[in-house]
Amino acid sequence: MSKIHVTTVVNGDAVEFLADPRETLLDCLRDRLGLTGSKEGCGTGDCGACSVRLDGTLVCSCLVLGVEAEGKQIETIEGMADGATLHPLQRKFIEHAALQCGFCTPGILVAAKALLERNPDPTEEEVRFWLAGNLCRCTGYDKIIRAVLDAAAEMRQEAA
Amino acid sequence: MAKDEFREFKLVGTRPDRPDGLDKVTGRARYGADISAPGMLWGAVVRSPHAHARIVSIDPSKALALDGVKAVVTRADFPEGLTGEDWNLQENTIAGERALYDGHAVAAVAATSKLLAEEAARLIAVEYEVLPHVIDVDDAIKPDAPVIRAGAADASVPEGMPPNVVRYMDFGRGDVEAGFAEADLVMERSYKTEATHQGYIEPHACLGQLGADGKGEMWVCTQGQWYIRKMCTAVLGLDASQLRVTPSEIGGGFGGKTTIFMEPLSLALSRKAGGKPVKIVMSRSEVLRATGPTASASMDVKIGLKKDGTITAARAEFRMQGGAFPGAPVDMALYCCFAPYNLTNVAHVGYDVLANRPKCAAYRAPGSPMGAFAVESLLDEMCRALKIDPLQMRLKNAVKEGDKSSYGPRFGSIGLIETLEATQAHPNLSIKLGPNQGRGIAAGYWFNHNGETSVSLAISEDGTAQVSVGTPDIGGSRASIALMTAETLGIGYEDVRVNVVETGALGVNEPTHGSRATFASGKAAVIAAGHAIKEMCRRAATEWGIEPEAVEWVNGAAQPAGPNAGKHPPMTIAEIAGKMGQTGGPISGHHESVPEGVGASFGCHVVDVEVDPETGRTTILRYLVVQDAGRAIHPAYVEGQYQGGAAQGIGWALNEAYIYDDKGRLANPVFLDYRIPVASDLPMIDTVIVEVPNPGHPYGVRGVGETGITPPLPAIANAIEDAVGVRMAHLPMSPATVLAALKARG
Amino acid sequence: MRYHTPSTFRDAAQIAAGASGVTRFLAGGTDVLVQLRAGAVIPDDLIDLKKIAGVYDIARTGDGGWRIGIAVPGIALGAHEALRAEWPGVVEGMELVGSTQVQGRATLTGNLCNGSPAADSVPGLVAAGASVEVTGPDGQRTVAVQDIPSGPGKTSLKPGELISAILLPARGDHAGDAYLRFIPRSEMDIAVVGCAVSLRLDGDTVTEARVALGAVAPVVKLVPAAAQAIVGTALDDAALDKLAAAASAACAPIDDKRGTIAFRTEVAGVLAKRAAKIAYSRAKGDRA
């Protein structure tokens, strides 16, 4: 099967790769571009560990073909910190012990960031339903939800 | 250790950022599938679509004809003559004459890309002769059930047992019949639980390399790199020391990553492909079909209770299937089920039964949740019948230090009474409930475990310390081990780096299992730090010209132990380390043992639910975990263990189950239908950390990982009865089953 | 697998008509990619429709209805205030499909063409009286939504045909709709039962109604008897009981890993009542 040349922008950097049309965006990020921060937990869109932003929209990168990335803007966990400065969500996740194994963490952080951009002051229930597609098996979600709410509070204060 | 040594701590009990936090929030942490190697091939596995079938033939010719396909392996590529558990592991790695369950590996292929390997796997033609199968444990134990493997029973099984019974146990004490005769109420009930999966989000992944010289390497997500080494080399007939196994970061395990699945296949493929490294990453459906879920259980329990709440006698008979191999945790279930209670008359009977399902692996307190579901459900029903407060009943019968446990050994220091008292005092218990709402209480137990442990510690030239441990960090053990090491050395938490190392860097370690990492690796690290301290005191003594015994270690420095030792300013760890080259060379410590002094952990959970009487749906309104930690080294990660255990138990209670179709194929091998709790299913999970220090650990640690999954199953069943008056005796308590029970009651 | 990006529906139809092997259209991709990844369906030709002009548009039609592009994801549908105000039941059905992430991709058209009897967005469309514009190699036709699914995983579309737009009728006054489904968890499951109700009032009295059920038959089912149970009533308890009985009576479900016949039949009635109450209060002007 012949491969297709794809030019796209990942975390602000122009990149190109050759993709088999059967490969998912997740495969291409991980195996073509070496961006292994996005994880595959299910390959069916049920766990959210592969969450990325595609032209700003939160998606499962396992449900996007690599060739669909042509001409798009992609944001992954690797682009979340500003250089050495962590995003408040990243800091709060460490502070609140909101990760145990850490495997679901990149996807949850990417998803939570998308939530807070849309809704800077979510309720606990809104956070829970927004993150319902991000499975975590270690924490029981308690500390994750607290970390997101605390990061939101801090970001509102900074914005004010 | 005397109680007065539990002094005020500087670090133990604080909540610093975990050392691996930055890597894990930036995507930099490297898990099983995150590593590639030059010249790497990808592997894919051909799996049986049948629950039970004779393998007539395997024809790989079409796969091998594809450009880029480098090797195909079948059972013929593995050595013969293995026995016991080694044979079981080999047979489970790759089927021999018969495929024993849906998903059983039959062949594997390596190719130059993942897509090509998958395509090649589809082209390997396997001819099967389908055989009768059996799935349910109560069917599998019937005398005329399809025989999974003749001759698999061990010596414990008496003559005349049904053919799939492979282990039998029968133990207890006292006279249960006499005990039942003394009771005011005797009840006997039957319960069932379905198989569930650990459900770690990271699928199994490994990158294996093996040369014709028998030397190999492996990168793998595992709870135990030495177990991977031991098991892979046994299955492949290699020398253990020739395989170097490096653990990746691990994306959850819960017991399921303490054994091997496709790891030997990657090594066999690599060897056949001329030593090229071979990466295999399981799909989610492979994880659910072909790794190690827990057992399913069918259980009968009989208890005698007096009106004053005294348990007069108890009997349990448990049947469990753990797949097509021996090893269902029926023994553990029996040991744990009555463990909270001080019993004079108690009897246990257990059957380990084969069925056409994947080989079970450990899952968080293996066996204990099923046993607790049966026993704690029945006790609750009996408390209702006699109008006894269930918490008071548990307090009345609770075991304490020195009591003989239901399964034999005497308990050392334990904290069940303190746990129950803390539960009683919690404000959640006085919250008023509304219509269709109910409250359930249950206790739970896990032994905790020590296991083979090796740790080494080295002081660096600048006075910081590195600790090498063999227990992969699943939920913050680097942080807890760093805290204990730093506390012992008297240096900062940030001055200690804890590394989880490969098999070539340490002596043997058991995996991170049995809630042992913080207990065992932690204890060994503290002892190793003690060795280093002794050496640093010796060096200071030499410099001061005094006896080593006259030097003590205080706040990270050597100082004269008293006025008789002379006047010398303290010599800090950095000063001593800075000149180690001139004073005798490297300063280090190490410790190898099976650490004594394991402390058991009891817990008590209280759950409030609401049941929709029109749909049978149960909503968790509020959840409380109270558990004895011994001492919480990093309380945030202790709370995390309590919350995570509760969440898994809630999933098991309400929605999770292995569902098989009539052909014995797993019908729900995806997260869409294997329904683990999502964020919107759960409330915040309240925790109370009870601290009855374990005298067998320098900082009082018990181990906290497992007990928390045990009480949720019965606690939720008890809450559902409290809410709507139906007693659910078969998990999961899904909406359909609860609604059916409500309808049946009328 | 060949990957195509046609720029018109006519081109897409012609590629499909000329293909000899397995063909799949790619709108949101949330079903196609899952099947591809699992090796269940590996198309020979994959026709990506997202480069066709207008596929992301939601536009008012001349008759006061709506034309929804085939690549409009759930998240965009939910963000469209005017559409949500008029057809909240249609929008909430779509929004129940999968996670936030899936909402970023999944589409009404894909959910319909996947042919699942449990598709969450389909009962709402059927109750709404929606139709689809179908483009084939020989031109276009309009088909009622309830006539598209023909069995589990099957549609009535002919080879080479594809849906080129979803068409919602004008809502009109004093009307409301609602969709409810039952799932074991609070999110992320496939409907065990789904029910949509769309109705119109004159004062307190229901004058028109359509009731559609999901996951209780091989295809999403329009249930006229359930609608008749509430037309002419003010949705009093007796009418609601008749509605529930009619909904349950219309069920012909199966036992499977997601639910039992008894449960689906019973809960179809429960959901019908609950959805009707919501639709009624929306018709009364309640925006919730």
Side-chain angles (χ1 to χ4, degrees):
Chain A
M1 314 228 172
S2 60
K3 294 209 167 89
I4 295 173
H5 180 256
V6 177
T7 305
T8 184
V9 176
V10 180
N11 300 325
D13 296 329
V15 297
E16 48 192 331
F17 56 86
L18 292 176
D20 184 295
R22 294 170 295 175
E23 285 177 315
T24 65
L25 175 58
L26 178 61
D27 294 332
C28 294
L29 289 170
R30 292 178 53 85
D31 299 331
R32 307 270 173 227
L33 299 175
L35 295 171
T36 55
S38 306
K39 306 299 183 193
E40 178 163 318
C42 68
T44 52
D46 296 309
C47 82
C50 66
S51 296
V52 303
R53 307 280 288 277
L54 183 69
D55 280 349
T57 301
L58 181 67
V59 298
C60 287
S61 58
C62 76
L63 295 184
V64 179
L65 290 176
V67 293
E68 292 183 78
E70 175 68 35
K72 307 271 189 195
Q73 296 268 347
I74 294 157
E75 295 162 61
T76 72
I77 185 62
E78 285 91 346
M80 191 157 169
D82 180 8
T85 308
L86 292 181
H87 187 277
L89 278 162
Q90 292 173 305
R91 247 190 311 109
K92 290 296 177 191
F93 265 58
I94 300 176
E95 268 176 48
H96 283 265
L99 54 139
Q100 285 180 32
C101 81
F103 191 80
C104 69
T105 308
I108 293 189
L109 287 167
V110 168
K113 181 168 178 271
L115 169 64
L116 299 189
E117 284 171 17
R118 202 180 141 103
N119 179 359
D121 191 8
T123 63
E124 180 191 330
E125 191 183 18
E126 286 168 339
V127 177
R128 287 188 181 276
F129 276 90
W130 182 272
L131 293 179
N134 289 89
L135 300 180
C136 168
R137 190 61 158 171
C138 294
T139 65
Y141 303 103
D142 182 299
K143 292 179 190 299
I144 291 173
I145 305 301
R146 290 179 201 275
V148 173
L149 292 170
D150 193 22
E154 183 187 294
M155 287 165 71
R156 287 196 304 276
Q157 214 151 34
E158 276 171 11
Chain B
M1 181 169 285
K3 279 230 159 104
D4 59 4
E5 289 189 43
F6 289 109
R7 55 198 186 277
E8 285 294 304
F9 299 117
K10 286 188 172 148
L11 296 172
V12 163
T14 63
R15 302 174 177 237
D17 292 351
R18 64 192 284 170
D20 49 336
L22 182 61
D23 285 352
K24 287 180 176 167
V25 299
T26 53
R28 205 161 59 213
R30 292 179 304 178
Y31 293 82
D34 295 344
I35 286 284
S36 295
M40 183 181 89
L41 304 174
W42 288 83
V45 181
V46 180
R47 298 186 180 278
S48 169
H50 305 295
H52 195 189
R54 194 169 71 82
I55 298 167
V56 178
S57 65
I58 302 173
D59 177 4
S61 56
K62 279 187 184 158
L64 287 166
L66 289 179
D67 267 355
V69 173
K70 301 296 184 187
V72 170
V73 295
T74 64
R75 182 63 170 273
D77 295 282
F78 288 75
E80 293 181 359
L82 274 61
T83 56
E85 185 61 11
D86 287 344
W87 185 88
N88 292 337
L89 287 167
Q90 187 185 54
E91 177 77 0
N92 192 44
T93 298
I94 189 154
E97 292 172 8
R98 286 177 298 147
L100 297 171
Y101 56 90
D102 169 40
H104 197 171
V106 171
V109 55
T112 51
S113 79
K114 191 176 170 187
L115 287 169
L116 186 59
E118 287 167 0
E119 194 179 334
R122 285 192 289 270
L123 291 174
I124 293 175
V126 185
E127 190 187 335
Y128 297 96
E129 176 195 336
V130 176
L131 301 171
H133 70 274
V134 63
I135 296 293
D136 181 73
V137 62
D138 288 326
D139 293 335
I141 203 171
K142 287 178 181 157
D144 57 348
V147 180
I148 311 299
R149 184 153 65 95
D154 72 13
S156 67
V157 181
E159 280 293 312
M161 285 259 175
N164 290 323
V165 175
V166 290
R167 277 193 308 152
Y168 172 80
M169 60 213 70
D170 182 346
F171 60 94
R173 65 163 175 268
D175 181 341
V176 289
E177 291 311 324
F180 290 137
E182 281 175 44
D184 293 312
L185 176 66
V186 177
M187 283 178 79
E188 183 169 15
R189 291 277 185 270
S190 298
Y191 302 88
K192 277 188 101 159
T193 63
E194 294 301 326
T196 56
H197 195 273
Q198 299 83 357
Y200 34 80
I201 311 299
E202 182 197 27
H204 296 257
C206 69
L207 174 58
Q209 184 275 323
L210 181 62
D213 56 1
K215 293 185 172 63
E217 297 197 351
M218 177 170 283
W219 164 271
V220 58
C221 66
T222 179
Q223 291 173 248
Q225 53 274 43
W226 281 268
Y227 267 30
I228 294 283
R229 186 181 76 165
K230 175 175 73 177
M231 294 175 183
C232 282
T233 53
V235 162
L236 287 156
L238 303 171
D239 293 338
S241 296
Q242 297 302 334
L243 181 65
R244 222 174 115 190
V245 180
T246 303
S248 69
E249 291 303 321
I250 172 171
F254 315 106
K257 290 177 182 166
T258 56
T259 185
I260 53 168
F261 298 104
M262 77 307 179
E263 291 84 359
L265 299 176
S266 82
L267 294 170
L269 285 166
S270 173
R271 181 169 60 187
K272 210 162 178 183
K276 288 189 166 71
V278 176
K279 178 167 169 173
I280 301 181
V281 181
M282 280 195 181
S283 68
R284 177 54 51 184
S285 70
E286 287 182 290
V287 171
L288 288 166
R289 287 168 71 205
T291 65
T294 191
S296 64
S298 167
M299 302 171 285
D300 306 324
V301 181
K302 184 173 180 181
I303 292 176
L305 195 61
K306 282 189 172 173
K307 281 178 185 157
D308 70 355
T310 307
I311 302 174
T312 59
R315 183 179 188 280
E317 180 169 329
F318 293 175
R319 300 162 292 278
M320 288 192 185
Q321 70 71 32
F325 302 88
V330 63
D331 41 4
M332 302 292 187
L334 289 168
Y335 298 156
C336 292
C337 70
F338 296 123
Y341 307 110
N342 192 4
L343 301 176
T344 317
N345 306 305
V346 59
H348 311 77
V349 177
Y351 301 85
D352 180 356
V353 186
L354 301 188
N356 290 112
R357 303 210 200 191
K359 186 180 193 296
C360 80
Y363 179 18
R364 204 169 200 157
S368 186
M370 301 85 140
F373 174 59
V375 169
E376 298 289 300
S377 290
L378 180 55
L379 282 172
D380 191 79
E381 193 177 347
M382 295 178 76
C383 285
R384 260 169 214 290
L386 290 180
K387 298 190 167 45
I388 303 172
D389 178 79
L391 201 51
Q392 290 306 325
M393 183 281 297
R394 287 178 173 86
L395 268 167
K396 186 166 187 80
N397 296 284
V399 286
K400 58 184 186 307
E401 183 167 359
D403 286 347
K404 210 164 163 26
S405 67
S406 57
Y407 55 95
R410 285 192 189 281
F411 282 115
S413 164
I414 47 170
L416 175 58
I417 290 172
E418 291 82 349
T419 299
L420 294 170
E421 286 171 349
T423 307
Q424 196 164 29
H426 196 277
N428 279 18
L429 274 84
S430 43
I431 294 172
K432 283 244 176 347
L433 297 173
N436 300 313
Q437 297 183 350
R439 178 165 296 149
I441 291 175
Y445 172 71
W446 186 246
F447 320 89
N448 295 329
H449 179 60
N450 45 10
E452 294 161 286
T453 307
S454 306
V455 163
S456 81
L457 173 147
I459 306 297
S460 302
E461 299 87 327
D462 58 359
T464 61
Q466 68 172 47
V467 184
S468 299
V469 301
T471 42
D473 181 354
I474 298 192
S477 58
R478 284 187 185 92
S480 63
I481 293 166
L483 281 167
M484 290 184 280
T485 305
E487 183 84 50
T488 306
L489 289 170
I491 60 179
Y493 167 74
E494 300 76 13
D495 297 332
V496 178
R497 173 152 186 166
V498 178
N499 297 309
V500 179
V501 300
E502 47 113 341
T503 54
L506 271 184
V508 169
N509 276 277
E510 278 186 29
T512 296
H513 68 172
S515 298
R516 75 179 210 95
T518 298
F519 170 78
S521 286
K523 183 170 181 175
V526 170
I527 294 169
H531 294 323
I533 287 170
K534 195 173 175 195
E535 176 63 14
M536 290 189 285
C537 288
R538 196 186 64 78
R539 301 221 182 165
T542 304
E543 183 149 336
W544 292 332
I546 62 176
E547 289 301 311
E549 292 72 31
V551 178
E552 62 180 3
W553 189 261
V554 178
N555 290 334
Q559 65 180 38
N564 295 341
K567 272 199 166 261
H568 301 284
M571 194 183 291
T572 66
I573 190 169
E575 290 173 276
I576 297 168
K579 48 194 173 191
M580 67 168 86
Q582 294 83 54
T583 60
I587 299 169
S588 64
H590 62 96
H591 181 72
E592 296 78 26
S593 72
V594 177
E596 295 288 319
V598 174
S601 184
F602 286 95
C604 182
H605 291 198
V606 182
V607 58
D608 291 353
V609 304
E610 180 167 335
V611 179
D612 180 341
E614 289 186 318
T615 64
R617 167 209 281 290
T618 300
T619 302
I620 307 288
L621 301 174
R622 182 167 312 109
Y623 204 99
L624 170 66
V625 180
V626 184
Q627 189 183 323
D628 177 17
R631 185 172 310 279
I633 302 301
H634 192 307
Y637 288 100
V638 172
E639 291 161 3
Q641 289 298 316
Y642 291 4
Q643 291 164 337
Q648 283 186 318
I650 291 168
W652 195 340
L654 292 180
N655 279 312
E656 291 179 38
Y658 266 50
I659 303 169
Y660 284 90
D661 69 15
D662 58 2
K663 294 195 166 60
R665 293 173 184 168
L666 184 63
N668 58 337
V670 286
F671 273 143
L672 181 65
D673 289 305
Y674 185 82
R675 294 183 281 262
I676 76 171
V678 302
S680 49
D681 289 340
L682 299 178
M684 292 297 186
I685 297 171
D686 302 324
T687 57
V688 175
I689 301 174
V690 174
E691 292 189 306
V692 177
N694 171 20
H697 184 278
Y699 291 105
V701 166
R702 290 189 184 275
V704 295
E706 290 170 284
T707 302
I709 196 174
T710 294
L713 286 58
I716 293 170
N718 297 345
I720 288 174
E721 170 153 27
D722 194 45
V724 289
V726 292
R727 173 53 61 179
M728 303 304 295
H730 189 164
L731 299 184
M733 299 176 280
S734 65
T737 61
V738 173
L739 188 64
L742 287 166
K743 291 266 154 199
R745 187 197 54 183
Chain C
M1 187 176 86
R2 289 170 294 272
Y3 173 70
H4 308 270
T5 55
S7 55
T8 66
F9 283 106
R10 181 57 69 88
D11 289 351
Q14 256 146 19
I15 295 166
S20 54
V22 177
T23 303
R24 282 289 182 279
F25 295 106
L26 188 66
T30 55
D31 289 310
V32 171
L33 263 73
V34 172
Q35 292 161 0
L36 175 65
R37 182 71 179 71
V41 180
I42 302 174
D44 299 295
D45 290 280
L46 183 65
I47 305 169
D48 186 348
L49 306 174
K50 291 195 294 299
K51 311 262 172 174
I52 297 173
V55 293
Y56 288 103
D57 294 348
I58 300 174
R60 182 71 83 178
T61 54
D63 64 355
W66 295 96
R67 180 187 173 90
I68 301 168
I70 56 97
V72 172
I75 202 157
L77 204 68
H80 198 287
E81 289 297 334
L83 180 68
R84 180 192 279 283
E86 291 185 16
W87 292 105
V90 171
V91 172
E92 70 197 357
M94 185 63 220
E95 285 183 316
L96 286 172
V97 176
S99 60
T100 319
Q101 286 85 340
V102 168
Q103 285 291 304
R105 298 278 291 168
T107 65
L108 284 172
T109 307
N111 201 220
L112 176 58
C113 291
N114 191 46
S116 167
D120 276 312
S121 73
V122 177
L125 289 171
V126 169
S131 55
V132 294
E133 177 189 277
V134 174
T135 300
D138 307 322
Q140 292 188 334
R141 62 192 179 108
T142 302
V143 183
V145 166
Q146 67 260 32
D147 295 334
I148 293 294
S150 58
K154 294 195 176 74
T155 70
S156 60
L157 296 172
K158 297 181 199 120
E161 281 191 332
L162 69 159
I163 292 176
S164 44
I166 303 265
L167 303 168
L168 278 168
R171 173 73 279 198
D173 294 333
H174 311 299
D177 69 338
Y179 174 72
L180 291 175
R181 66 163 180 193
F182 185 86
I183 54 172
R185 291 181 292 187
S186 57
E187 268 284 1
M188 299 305 293
D189 292 328
I190 300 281
V192 179
V193 192
C195 179
V197 176
S198 178
L199 51 76
R200 191 181 309 283
L201 302 180
D202 181 358
D204 289 342
T205 306
V206 178
T207 56
E208 294 169 26
R210 283 168 70 89
V211 178
L213 293 173
V216 298
V219 294
V220 171
K221 207 166 174 182
L222 186 67
V223 188
Q228 280 155 23
I230 56 172
V231 169
T233 76
L235 218 61
D236 51 89
D237 286 348
L240 286 167
D241 287 343
K242 274 190 198 160
L243 166 67
S248 292
C251 293
I254 55 168
D255 278 328
D256 70 0
K257 62 196 171 191
R258 294 173 184 147
T260 60
I261 291 170
F263 182 81
R264 287 179 157 123
T265 305
E266 171 77 20
V267 173
V270 173
L271 294 187
K273 280 185 179 182
R274 293 180 182 181
K277 285 189 204 169
I278 297 169
Y280 189 88
S281 92
R282 283 173 176 166
K284 282 282 202 182
D286 185 348
R287 287 292 297 267

